[in-house]
């Protein structure tokens, strides 16, 4: 009887264990996805796609995720840089700021706005929606590509930015197609 109860409890809890495990292994917590779905409700933003950056993940690994909110699926993963000012000496932890000149990344929700051509080629302006990133436009924090960002993840840290989320050229081009096809602005959510 004890074995039967143990097996029954094991099989009942297995699906929950499995979903938590896949949630952790993807790098995109379900809590953040739910948060964005609630945030988007009844707003004039793209309801089908959102972009997430999980700065808790090592910079050489995939931590940039384009997420299909309707089908609950990651449709793009990429390596993304953080600001050089976010690095703490002799630590794996990062720090964040909304202050101009800090060269730190900022956390929070952004609206991806118009594209333009500048120093790094095509880029998208970002408007911060929270007190933690409200200076994004005045700080020139934009989504762009840069040659030192690799296409594939590795154990090596990626190069650093002045606070911008930088992607490889290929990853940027893939995201760019989605942004340009969207009739409504897409939300980018950076968290730690």
């Amino acid at each position: 009887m004890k074995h039967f109860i143990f097996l029954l409890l094991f099989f009942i809890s297995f699906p929950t264990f499995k979903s938590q495990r896949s949630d952790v292994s993807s790098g995109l917590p379900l809590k953040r996805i739910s948060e964005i779905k609630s945030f988007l409700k009844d707003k004039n933003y793209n309801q089908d796609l959102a972009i997430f950056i999980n700065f808790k993940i090592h910079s050489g690994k995939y931590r940039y995720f384009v997420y299909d909110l309707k089908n609950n699926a990651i449709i793009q993963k990429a390596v993304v840089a953080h600001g050089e000012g976010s690095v703490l000496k002799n630590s794996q932890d990062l720090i964040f700021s909304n202050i101009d000149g800090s060269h730190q990344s900022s956390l929070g929700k952004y609206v991806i706005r118009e594209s333009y051509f500048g120093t790094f080629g095509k880029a998208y302006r970002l408007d911060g929606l929270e007190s933690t990133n409200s200076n994004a436009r005045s700080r020139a924090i934009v989504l762009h590509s840069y040659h030192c960002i690799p296409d594939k993840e590795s154990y090596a840290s990626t190069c650093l930015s002045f606070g911008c989320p930088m992607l490889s050229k290929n990853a940027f081009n893939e995201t760019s197609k989605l942004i340009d096809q969207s009739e409504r602005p897409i939300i980018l959510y950076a968290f730690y």
Side-chain angles (χ1 to χ4, degrees):
M1 185 69 172
K2 273 188 196 176
H3 295 292
F4 175 76
I5 293 172
F6 174 76
L7 286 173
L8 181 65
L9 288 173
F10 177 77
F11 285 114
I12 289 171
S13 65
F14 185 75
T16 305
F17 175 74
K18 187 178 177 186
S19 69
Q20 288 174 343
R21 194 166 163 213
S22 65
D23 173 35
V24 171
S25 67
S26 77
L28 186 50
L30 295 174
K31 178 177 103 174
R32 300 297 183 169
I33 296 166
S34 295
E35 191 178 335
I36 283 298
K37 285 182 177 182
S38 295
F39 172 78
L40 291 174
K41 199 169 186 158
D42 300 325
K43 291 188 176 79
N44 196 26
Y45 299 126
N46 188 311
Q47 303 291 308
D48 300 333
L49 286 177
I51 298 173
F52 297 86
I53 300 174
N54 184 350
F55 282 124
K56 264 293 188 203
I57 298 172
H58 181 271
S59 70
K61 299 293 184 183
Y62 295 140
R63 60 184 185 164
Y64 172 95
F65 307 96
V66 179
Y67 193 79
D68 180 336
L69 296 164
K70 284 213 167 180
N71 296 306
N72 292 312
I74 294 169
I75 57 175
Q76 181 187 359
K77 292 181 184 182
V79 174
V80 64
H82 57 262
E84 65 182 13
S86 289
V87 177
L88 284 169
K89 196 172 183 174
N90 301 320
S91 175
Q92 296 296 318
D93 293 333
L94 299 177
I95 56 173
F96 302 91
S97 174
N98 193 25
I99 298 171
D100 192 19
S102 68
H103 292 189
Q104 293 177 17
S105 293
S106 298
L107 299 178
K109 297 173 196 74
Y110 298 83
V111 182
I112 300 174
R113 293 295 187 189
E114 73 278 3
S115 65
Y116 70 97
F117 286 86
T119 306
F120 306 107
K122 185 175 183 176
Y124 293 92
R125 297 193 199 284
L126 300 174
D127 286 336
L129 298 175
E130 302 183 50
S131 61
T132 54
N133 64 6
S134 58
N135 294 327
R137 191 170 279 253
S138 63
R139 290 179 65 203
I141 302 300
V142 299
L143 179 64
H144 66 87
S145 66
Y146 199 59
H147 64 85
C148 63
I149 308 294
D151 283 325
K152 302 286 183 196
E153 62 182 350
S154 72
Y155 291 104
S157 297
T158 195
C159 59
L160 301 172
S161 72
F162 282 179
C164 296
M166 297 187 314
L167 301 169
S168 73
K169 187 71 173 162
N170 290 332
F172 180 82
N173 288 342
E174 192 176 331
T175 293
S176 184
K177 287 176 194 168
L178 296 169
I179 295 170
D180 292 346
Q181 290 169 2
S182 179
E183 293 178 10
R184 294 179 180 184
I186 295 173
I187 295 294
L188 183 152
Y189 184 19
F191 59 91
Y192 186 69

